Coordinates of all heavy atoms in Angstrom, one line a residue:
A299 N 0.8 -1.2 0.0 CA 0.1 0.1 0.0 C 0.9 1.2 0.0 O 0.6 2.2 -0.7 CB -0.9 0.0 1.2
I300 N 1.9 1.3 0.8 CA 2.8 2.4 0.8 C 3.5 2.6 -0.5 O 3.6 3.7 -1.1 CB 3.9 2.2 1.9 CG1 3.2 2.1 3.3 CG2 5.0 3.3 1.8 CD1 4.2 1.8 4.4
T301 N 3.9 1.5 -1.2 CA 4.6 1.6 -2.5 C 3.6 2.1 -3.5 O 4.0 2.9 -4.4 CB 5.1 0.2 -2.8 OG1 6.0 -0.3 -1.8 CG2 5.9 0.3 -4.2
E302 N 2.4 1.6 -3.5 CA 1.3 2.1 -4.4 C 1.2 3.6 -4.2 O 1.1 4.4 -5.2 CB 0.0 1.4 -4.1 CG -0.1 0.1 -4.6 CD -0.5 0.1 -6.1 OE1 -0.7 1.1 -6.8 OE2 -0.6 -1.1 -6.7
Y303 N 1.2 4.2 -3.0 CA 1.0 5.6 -2.7 C 2.2 6.3 -3.3 O 2.0 7.3 -4.0 CB 0.9 5.8 -1.2 CG 0.8 7.3 -1.0 CD1 -0.4 8.0 -1.0 CD2 2.0 8.1 -0.7 CE1 -0.5 9.4 -0.8 CE2 2.0 9.4 -0.5 CZ 0.7 10.1 -0.5 OH 0.6 11.5 -0.3
I304 N 3.4 5.9 -3.0 CA 4.6 6.5 -3.5 C 4.6 6.5 -5.0 O 4.9 7.5 -5.6 CB 5.9 5.8 -2.9 CG1 6.0 6.0 -1.4 CG2 7.1 6.3 -3.7 CD1 7.0 5.1 -0.8
D305 N 4.2 5.4 -5.6 CA 4.3 5.3 -7.1 C 3.4 6.2 -7.8 O 3.7 6.8 -8.9 CB 4.1 3.9 -7.5 CG 4.6 3.6 -8.9 OD1 5.5 4.2 -9.4 OD2 3.9 2.7 -9.6
H306 N 2.2 6.6 -7.2 CA 1.2 7.4 -7.8 C 1.2 8.8 -7.3 O 0.7 9.7 -8.0 CB -0.1 6.8 -7.5 CG -0.4 5.5 -8.2 ND1 -0.1 4.3 -7.7 CD2 -0.8 5.2 -9.5 CE1 -0.4 3.3 -8.6 NE2 -0.8 3.9 -9.7
A307 N 1.9 9.1 -6.2 CA 2.1 10.4 -5.7 C 3.1 11.2 -6.3 O 3.2 12.5 -6.3 CB 2.3 10.3 -4.2
F308 N 4.1 10.5 -6.9 CA 5.3 11.1 -7.4 C 5.6 10.7 -8.9 O 5.2 9.6 -9.3 CB 6.5 10.8 -6.6 CG 6.5 11.2 -5.2 CD1 6.3 10.3 -4.2 CD2 6.5 12.6 -4.8 CE1 6.1 10.6 -2.9 CE2 6.4 13.0 -3.4 CZ 6.2 12.0 -2.4
E309 N 6.1 11.7 -9.6 CA 6.3 11.4 -11.1 C 7.5 10.4 -11.2 O 8.2 10.2 -10.2 CB 6.7 12.7 -11.8 CG 5.4 13.7 -11.8 CD 5.8 14.9 -12.6 OE1 6.9 15.1 -12.9 OE2 4.8 15.8 -12.7
G310 N 7.7 9.9 -12.4 CA 8.9 9.0 -12.7 C 8.4 7.7 -13.2 O 7.2 7.4 -13.3
T311 N 9.4 6.8 -13.4 CA 9.1 5.5 -14.0 C 8.2 4.7 -13.0 O 8.4 4.8 -11.8 CB 10.4 4.7 -14.2 OG1 11.2 5.5 -15.0 CG2 10.1 3.3 -14.7
S312 N 7.1 4.1 -13.5 CA 6.2 3.3 -12.7 C 6.9 2.1 -12.1 O 7.7 1.3 -12.8 CB 5.1 2.9 -13.6 OG 4.2 2.1 -12.8
L313 N 6.6 1.9 -10.8 CA 7.1 0.7 -10.2 C 6.0 -0.4 -10.1 O 6.3 -1.5 -9.7 CB 7.5 1.1 -8.7 CG 8.8 2.0 -8.6 CD1 9.0 2.4 -7.2 CD2 10.0 1.4 -9.3
T314 N 4.8 0.0 -10.3 CA 3.6 -0.9 -10.1 C 2.9 -1.2 -11.3 O 1.9 -2.0 -11.3 CB 2.6 -0.2 -9.1 OG1 2.1 1.0 -9.6 CG2 3.1 -0.1 -7.8
G315 N 3.5 -0.9 -12.5 CA 3.0 -1.3 -13.8 C 2.1 -0.2 -14.4 O 1.4 0.6 -13.7
V316 N 2.1 -0.3 -15.7 CA 1.2 0.6 -16.6 C 0.2 -0.2 -17.4 O 0.6 -1.1 -18.1 CB 2.1 1.4 -17.5 CG1 1.2 2.4 -18.4 CG2 3.1 2.3 -16.8
G317 N -1.1 0.1 -17.2 CA -2.0 -0.7 -18.0 C -2.5 -1.9 -17.2 O -1.8 -2.4 -16.3
P318 N -3.7 -2.5 -17.4 CA -4.2 -3.6 -16.7 C -3.4 -4.8 -16.6 O -3.2 -5.4 -15.6 CB -5.6 -3.9 -17.2 CG -5.5 -3.2 -18.6 CD -4.6 -2.1 -18.5
Q319 N -2.8 -5.2 -17.8 CA -2.0 -6.5 -17.8 C -0.7 -6.3 -17.1 O -0.4 -7.2 -16.2 CB -1.8 -6.9 -19.3 CG -1.0 -8.2 -19.4 CD -0.7 -8.6 -20.8 OE1 -1.7 -8.7 -21.6 NE2 0.5 -8.9 -21.2
E320 N 0.0 -5.3 -17.3 CA 1.3 -5.1 -16.7 C 1.1 -4.9 -15.2 O 2.0 -5.5 -14.4 CB 1.9 -3.8 -17.3 CG 3.4 -3.6 -16.8 CD 4.1 -2.5 -17.5 OE1 4.3 -2.6 -18.7 OE2 4.3 -1.5 -16.8
R321 N 0.2 -4.2 -14.8 CA -0.1 -4.0 -13.3 C -0.4 -5.4 -12.7 O 0.0 -5.7 -11.6 CB -1.2 -3.0 -13.1 CG -0.8 -1.5 -13.3 CD -2.0 -0.6 -13.0 NE -2.6 -0.8 -11.7 CZ -2.1 -0.2 -10.6 NH1 -1.0 0.5 -10.7 NH2 -2.6 -0.4 -9.4
A322 N -1.3 -6.2 -13.3 CA -1.7 -7.5 -12.8 C -0.5 -8.4 -12.7 O -0.3 -9.1 -11.7 CB -2.7 -8.1 -13.7
V323 N 0.4 -8.4 -13.6 CA 1.7 -9.2 -13.5 C 2.6 -8.7 -12.5 O 3.1 -9.5 -11.8 CB 2.4 -9.3 -15.0 CG1 3.6 -10.0 -14.9 CG2 1.5 -10.0 -16.0
V324 N 2.8 -7.4 -12.5 CA 3.7 -6.9 -11.3 C 3.1 -7.3 -10.0 O 4.0 -7.8 -9.1 CB 3.8 -5.4 -11.5 CG1 4.4 -4.8 -10.2 CG2 4.6 -5.1 -12.7
H325 N 1.9 -7.1 -9.8 CA 1.3 -7.4 -8.5 C 1.4 -8.9 -8.2 O 1.7 -9.4 -7.1 CB -0.1 -6.9 -8.4 CG -0.2 -5.5 -8.0 ND1 -0.4 -5.0 -6.7 CD2 -0.2 -4.4 -8.7 CE1 -0.4 -3.7 -6.6 NE2 -0.3 -3.3 -7.9
M326 N 1.1 -9.7 -9.3 CA 1.1 -11.2 -9.0 C 2.6 -11.6 -8.7 O 2.8 -12.3 -7.7 CB 0.8 -12.0 -10.4 CG 1.0 -13.4 -10.3 SD 0.6 -14.2 -11.9 CE 1.9 -13.6 -12.9
M327 N 3.6 -11.1 -9.4 CA 5.0 -11.6 -9.1 C 5.6 -11.0 -7.8 O 6.3 -11.6 -7.1 CB 5.9 -11.2 -10.3 CG 5.5 -11.9 -11.6 SD 5.5 -13.7 -11.4 CE 7.3 -14.0 -11.2
Q328 N 5.1 -9.8 -7.5 CA 5.6 -9.2 -6.2 C 4.9 -10.0 -5.0 O 5.6 -10.2 -4.0 CB 5.3 -7.7 -6.1 CG 4.1 -7.2 -5.4 CD 4.2 -7.2 -3.9 OE1 5.3 -6.9 -3.3 NE2 3.2 -7.4 -3.2
R329 N 3.7 -10.4 -5.2 CA 3.1 -11.3 -4.1 C 3.8 -12.6 -4.0 O 4.0 -13.1 -2.8 CB 1.6 -11.4 -4.4 CG 0.9 -12.3 -3.3 CD 1.0 -11.6 -1.9 NE 0.4 -12.5 -0.9 CZ 0.9 -12.5 0.3 NH1 2.0 -11.9 0.6 NH2 0.3 -13.4 1.2
R330 N 4.2 -13.2 -5.1 CA 5.0 -14.4 -5.0 C 6.4 -14.1 -4.4 O 6.8 -15.0 -3.6 CB 5.2 -14.9 -6.5 CG 3.9 -15.5 -7.1 CD 4.2 -16.0 -8.5 NE 2.9 -16.5 -9.1 CZ 2.8 -16.9 -10.3 NH1 3.9 -17.0 -11.1 NH2 1.6 -17.3 -10.8
G331 N 6.9 -12.9 -4.6 CA 8.1 -12.6 -3.9 C 8.0 -12.5 -2.4 O 8.8 -12.9 -1.6
E332 N 6.8 -12.0 -2.0 CA 6.4 -12.0 -0.5 C 6.3 -13.4 0.0 O 7.0 -13.7 1.0 CB 5.2 -11.2 -0.3 CG 5.3 -9.7 -0.5 CD 4.0 -9.0 -0.2 OE1 3.0 -9.5 -0.4 OE2 4.1 -7.8 0.2
Q333 N 5.6 -14.1 -0.7 CA 5.2 -15.5 -0.2 C 6.4 -16.5 -0.2 O 6.7 -17.1 0.9 CB 4.1 -16.1 -1.0 CG 2.8 -15.5 -0.8 CD 1.8 -16.0 -1.8 OE1 2.1 -16.4 -2.9 NE2 0.5 -16.2 -1.3
K334 N 7.1 -16.4 -1.3 CA 8.2 -17.4 -1.5 C 9.6 -17.0 -0.9 O 10.5 -17.8 -0.6 CB 8.5 -17.7 -3.0 CG 7.2 -18.3 -3.6 CD 7.5 -18.5 -5.1 CE 6.2 -19.2 -5.8 NZ 6.1 -20.6 -5.4
I335 N 9.8 -15.7 -0.7 CA 11.1 -15.2 -0.1 C 10.9 -14.4 1.2 O 11.3 -14.8 2.3 CB 11.8 -14.3 -1.2 CG1 12.1 -15.1 -2.5 CG2 13.1 -13.8 -0.6 CD1 13.0 -16.3 -2.3
V336 N 10.2 -13.2 1.1 CA 10.1 -12.3 2.3 C 9.5 -13.0 3.4 O 10.0 -13.0 4.6 CB 9.5 -11.0 1.9 CG1 9.3 -10.2 3.2 CG2 10.4 -10.3 0.9
D337 N 8.2 -13.5 3.2 CA 7.5 -14.1 4.3 C 8.1 -15.4 4.8 O 8.1 -15.7 6.0 CB 6.0 -14.3 3.9 CG 5.2 -13.1 3.6 OD1 5.7 -12.0 4.0 OD2 4.1 -13.2 3.0
A338 N 8.7 -16.2 3.9 CA 9.2 -17.5 4.2 C 10.5 -17.3 5.0 O 10.6 -17.9 6.1 CB 9.5 -18.2 2.9
I339 N 11.4 -16.4 4.6 CA 12.6 -16.2 5.4 C 12.2 -15.5 6.7 O 12.9 -15.7 7.8 CB 13.7 -15.4 4.6 CG1 15.0 -15.6 5.3 CG2 13.3 -14.0 4.4 CD1 15.5 -17.1 5.4
G340 N 11.2 -14.7 6.7 CA 10.8 -14.1 8.0 C 10.3 -15.1 9.0 O 10.7 -15.0 10.2

C-alpha cells in the first residue's frame, strides 16, 4: 500500500505497472516474492 502511494504520488518511472495487464503481472509476481522469499525467510 505504501509503495502504491509513493508510485502514484510522485512522477517518474512506474514501479507498479502501466495498464491492466502489466499491473496485474507486477502485483502477481511481487506477491509471489512476498510468499516465497520475504514471508518465508521471515
